[in-house]
Amino acid sequence: MASGGGVTKKEIGGNHDVLRFGVNDSVKGDLAPLHPVQASVHKEAKFWADKKRFGADAIYGSAFNIRKDLDAQILSKFQRPPGALPSSMLGYEALTGSLDDFGFEDYLNLPQDSDSFRAPDMHHGMEVRLGLSKGPICPSFN
């Protein structure tokens, strides 16, 4: 899965900003059911993840799964400061096994290939991350 810069949080009761959050990203969009194919893909992925977890629990004991969950929590929160190189989450992808998955989002619509790409401002990005400034971390990555 692709990981980008920061995530802009929606304010409850605020106006819906279509340019920042997208057309379908609203309360109605959050409550709408997934596409049937997408729902079946998620259901199958959850089934196999539960099956792997049960097998690891039977073979290695419950401490293995607890350790794996703690490692996943730690590795999912690690991010590189905003700048020229985006965070890759390599450790998390290696732990979850998603390094072998190569989806269309890995090679299509890369922001670096865009004509309107602007290099991120590292200082502004850190100010946004620390809560000193408002707005997206980088104008190119919403």
Side-chain angles (χ1 to χ4, degrees), residues 55-72:
D57 193 20
I59 294 172
Y60 302 111
S62 61
F64 180 78
N65 284 330
I66 293 170
R67 170 78 185 257
K68 194 172 179 182
D69 289 342
L70 287 173
D71 289 344

Side-chain angles (χ1 to χ4, degrees), residues 24-36:
N24 295 327
D25 192 32
S26 64
V27 174
K28 184 179 179 184
D30 293 341
L31 298 176
L34 299 173
H35 189 274

